[in-house]
Amino acid sequence: MNYAIVNIERQANDGLVTKVKWTGTYVDEQEYASMEGEVTLERSDTFTPFDNLTEETVLAWVFEKIDRTEIEKSLKDKVDLKIQDKASPSVLTGMPW
């Protein structure tokens, strides 16, 4: 499972991060599934200047707000379904000639 930050929204006056858009991707050998989300953040007791932020720091903030277990299960289920459908397709396409 891989998570990444897609975009960060911040206050112009002080750089306070207020929204984070993220993506999560589950990959196995044959297929993948991904999901995007957005979390809203509030000012906390500790403030990290925008220029000092790392993706790891921002991901930690995101992980505090999302249900990683449920997201990862959902994406894994989607991948498993894709693999199963390839092995035993329920719909076929093509022409007889």
Side-chain angles (χ1 to χ4, degrees):
M1 186 74 196
N2 183 42
Y3 288 93
I5 301 301
V6 178
N7 200 14
I8 296 174
E9 185 177 302
R10 67 187 186 277
Q11 300 286 329
N13 62 342
D14 64 2
L16 175 70
V17 174
T18 55
K19 288 186 183 176
V20 177
K21 189 170 185 178
W22 57 271
T23 185
T25 305
Y26 179 88
V27 180
D28 88 343
E29 296 173 10
Q30 304 171 36
E31 291 291 340
Y32 75 94
S34 62
M35 161 188 277
E36 287 188 351
E38 184 177 276
V39 297
T40 301
L41 302 172
E42 298 175 12
R43 185 176 294 275
S44 70
D45 293 336
T46 59
F47 177 79
T48 304
F50 182 77
D51 291 338
N52 294 346
L53 292 175
T54 64
E55 187 171 25
E56 292 76 24
T57 298
V58 178
L59 279 171
W61 296 343
V62 169
F63 293 157
E64 290 176 8
K65 299 275 188 176
I66 65 173
D67 185 346
R68 289 174 67 187
T69 302
E70 183 58 36
I71 290 167
E72 292 170 15
K73 181 186 179 317
S74 174
L75 293 177
K76 183 181 182 317
D77 289 349
K78 286 180 183 181
V79 166
D80 290 346
L81 189 59
K82 285 180 178 181
I83 293 169
Q84 183 181 22
D85 194 44
K86 274 187 172 179
S88 285
S90 59
V91 176
L92 302 173
T93 61
M95 296 171 275
W97 62 89

